[in-house]
């Protein structure tokens, strides 16, 4: 990352990760090991990493201020969607990007396999319950996209969900994408900024991270044989991601494909895109009316004339 970025340079840098609405995503064109432009890479890994850290720090400071403004203006909310293969670094990204924000205005919701109660409703129901309130940032650690990813890769999950019988071909999934776009459009129209991140880790790096978990007893808890099982469906997942992201990257809820093999690159980019997104809302602190100002003056007078 450059030492100091002008807004235009920054836009150019960040825009390259956005999936243009209507464009077909080919993951093979996205390098999970991306570590900067050729100019930057010439500086070497250590220097790029140091710059990324400085850029992250600057963004986290701005993010804390942006969040306060979001909270004070109370007109908008922010929904961050994180999706990835296992061990791509969702949890670490949340931890890093959210340091410094006021916990009162921020919430993380992690979605697991739906309960039978949840499955007794339409698939978007459980997400509706927890969309962010005005003034709040909410991070979905996994999200409504699981219903077109894991459920697509494992059709038996769909069959167990109690839907009326019917064909589950292409048009079924197209229907789900439409539902998702409509859901997000409604949220956006109601004042929710939606930013969606696919943390794009390579198969080789996932293997390395799994092995690291097996090597280190303190990391054993992070390893699950279920994750290894899912790794066996790598190609099916990549295809499901490509299709879902292509169909649901919209003007009102864009997807970003974030290179995830270098954690410092991933965290820095997510923080920068989030900070930029809130800044672009162009929020203002609420102004006080003439009567309000008079009341404040009176309050000051009252306090100062106390014995
Ligand atoms: P983790 O994030 O490691 O705690 O794992 C959560 C698990 O729940 C993952 O295997 C997800 O694929 C699974 N999961 C999340 N949402 C859904 C869903 N809508 N349908 C089926 N499985 C899901
Ligand atoms: Mg897991």
């Amino acid at each position: 990352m450059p030492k100091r970025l002008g807004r235009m340079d920054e836009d150019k840098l960040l825009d390259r990760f956005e999936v243009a609405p209507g464009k077909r995503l080919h993951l093979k064109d996205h390098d999970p090991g991306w570590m900067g432009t050729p100019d930057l890479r010439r500086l070497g890994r250590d220097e790029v990493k140091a710059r990324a850290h400085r850029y992250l720090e600057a963004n986290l400071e701005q993010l804390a201020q942006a969040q306060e403004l979001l909270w004070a203006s109370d007109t908008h909310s922010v929904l961050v969607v994180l999706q990835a293969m296992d061990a791509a670094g969702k949890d670490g990204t949340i931890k890093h990007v959210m340091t410094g924000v006021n916990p009162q205005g921020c919430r993380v919701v992690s979605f697991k396999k739906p309960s039978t109660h949840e499955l007794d409703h339409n698939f978007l129901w459980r997400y509706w319950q927890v969309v962010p309130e005005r003034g709040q940032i909410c991070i979905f650690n996994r999200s409504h996209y699981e219903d077109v990813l894991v459920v697509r890769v494992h059709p038996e999950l769909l069959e167990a969900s109690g839907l009326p019988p019917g064909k589950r071909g292409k048009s079924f999934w197209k229907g789900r994408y439409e539902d998702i776009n409509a859901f997000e459009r409604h949220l956006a129209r109601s004042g929710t900024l939606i930013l969606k991140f696919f943390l794009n880790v390579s198969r080789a790096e996932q293997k390395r991270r799994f092995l690291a978990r097996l090597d280190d007893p303190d990391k054993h808890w992070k390893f699950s044989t279920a994750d290894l099982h899912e790794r066996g469906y790598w190609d099916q997942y990549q295809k499901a991601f490509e299709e879902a992201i292509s169909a649901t990257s919209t003007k009102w809820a864009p997807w970003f494909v974030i290179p995830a093999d270098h954690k410092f690159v991933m965290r820095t980019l997510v923080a920068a895109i989030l900070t930029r997104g809130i800044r672009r809302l162009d929020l203002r602190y609420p102004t006080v009316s003439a009567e309000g100002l008079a009341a404040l003056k009176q309050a000051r007078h009252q306090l100062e004339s106390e014995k």
Side-chain angles (χ1 to χ4, degrees):
M1 314 292 139
K3 264 193 188 124
R4 227 177 236 113
L5 278 174
R7 287 280 147 83
M8 265 168 66
D9 291 341
E10 185 180 54
D11 281 342
K12 223 166 102 193
L13 177 77
L14 302 181
D15 285 348
R16 65 192 298 155
F17 302 105
E18 183 169 345
V19 178
K23 191 169 170 249
R24 173 81 206 183
L25 170 68
H26 298 287
L27 283 173
K28 66 172 174 33
D29 300 334
H30 291 253
D31 176 14
W34 186 90
M35 204 188 63
T37 54
D39 274 0
L40 268 170
R41 276 204 312 274
R42 263 194 288 278
L43 301 171
R45 190 180 194 278
D46 289 348
E47 177 59 20
V48 176
K49 194 170 177 179
R51 287 186 183 204
H53 277 303
R54 285 201 293 272
Y55 185 46
L56 178 63
E57 289 296 313
N59 269 298
L60 293 185
E61 252 172 60
Q62 286 181 37
L63 182 62
Q65 290 165 14
Q67 187 209 15
E68 194 175 293
L69 190 51
L70 185 75
W71 182 257
S73 53
D74 208 21
T75 51
H76 289 73
S77 57
V78 180
L79 176 61
V80 176
V81 168
L82 290 184
Q83 286 290 162
M85 294 299 285
D86 292 304
K90 291 197 298 328
D91 295 318
T93 301
I94 294 170
K95 196 165 99 184
H96 277 79
V97 172
M98 287 297 126
T99 46
V101 301
N102 181 348
Q104 222 179 344
C106 179
R107 191 152 62 115
V108 181
V109 189
S110 299
F111 294 98
K112 312 282 177 193
K113 253 183 110 150
S115 65
T116 46
H117 179 59
E118 287 168 337
L119 285 177
D120 272 338
H121 296 79
N122 59 308
F123 84 94
L124 288 172
W125 179 80
R126 68 168 176 162
Y127 309 100
W128 269 120
Q129 317 299 309
V130 286
V131 294
E133 299 165 22
R134 288 187 211 290
Q136 201 181 47
I137 300 176
C138 184
I139 302 182
F140 278 8
N141 180 4
R142 301 185 189 272
S143 67
H144 44 299
Y145 284 94
E146 289 290 326
D147 296 86
V148 291
L149 295 167
V150 66
V151 179
R152 179 130 200 207
V153 171
H154 299 288
E156 65 277 13
L157 292 174
L158 189 63
E159 290 326 309
S161 71
L163 282 175
K167 291 207 177 103
R168 314 293 188 212
K170 260 196 154 4
S171 69
F172 174 85
W173 297 105
K174 194 163 165 267
R176 283 212 162 177
Y177 300 144
E178 283 170 10
D179 291 344
I180 287 175
N181 285 340
F183 165 63
E184 292 176 353
R185 175 131 222 195
H186 173 69
L187 288 177
R189 280 196 178 120
S190 315
T192 303
L193 167 70
I194 305 169
L195 298 170
K196 303 180 294 198
F197 298 96
F198 170 52
L199 308 181
N200 184 26
V201 75
S202 67
R203 193 156 187 264
E205 179 62 18
Q206 189 197 50
K207 179 176 174 178
R208 217 188 52 73
R209 291 187 191 169
F210 279 171
L211 285 172
R213 288 175 182 186
L214 293 172
D215 286 345
D216 179 354
D218 288 348
K219 285 188 181 167
H220 282 172
W221 64 275
K222 280 194 185 183
F223 187 83
S224 134
T225 48
D227 294 351
L228 191 56
H229 181 75
E230 288 313 292
R231 178 177 165 81
Y233 294 89
W234 186 274
D235 292 342
Q236 289 92 321
Y237 271 108
Q238 296 283 296
K239 207 167 152 258
F241 270 113
E242 283 182 336
E243 199 169 302
I245 291 174
S246 302
T248 60
S249 197
T250 54
K251 237 174 79 190
W252 60 90
W255 272 105
F256 296 84
V257 175
I258 303 293
D261 279 6
H262 300 291
K263 289 178 179 171
F264 65 91
V265 170
M266 169 178 68
R267 291 167 186 165
T268 302
L269 289 174
V270 171
I273 292 167
L274 175 58
T275 306
R276 180 181 71 160
I278 303 178
R279 190 173 63 229
R280 282 178 169 175
L281 293 175
D282 206 18
L283 301 172
R284 305 261 177 251
Y285 281 101
T287 48
V288 182
S289 64
E291 298 93 88
L293 282 175
L296 293 179
K297 202 169 159 196
Q298 170 59 27
R300 169 183 290 279
H301 178 72
Q302 195 175 324
L303 284 168
E304 285 175 349
S305 54
E306 268 180 11
K307 284 194 200 108

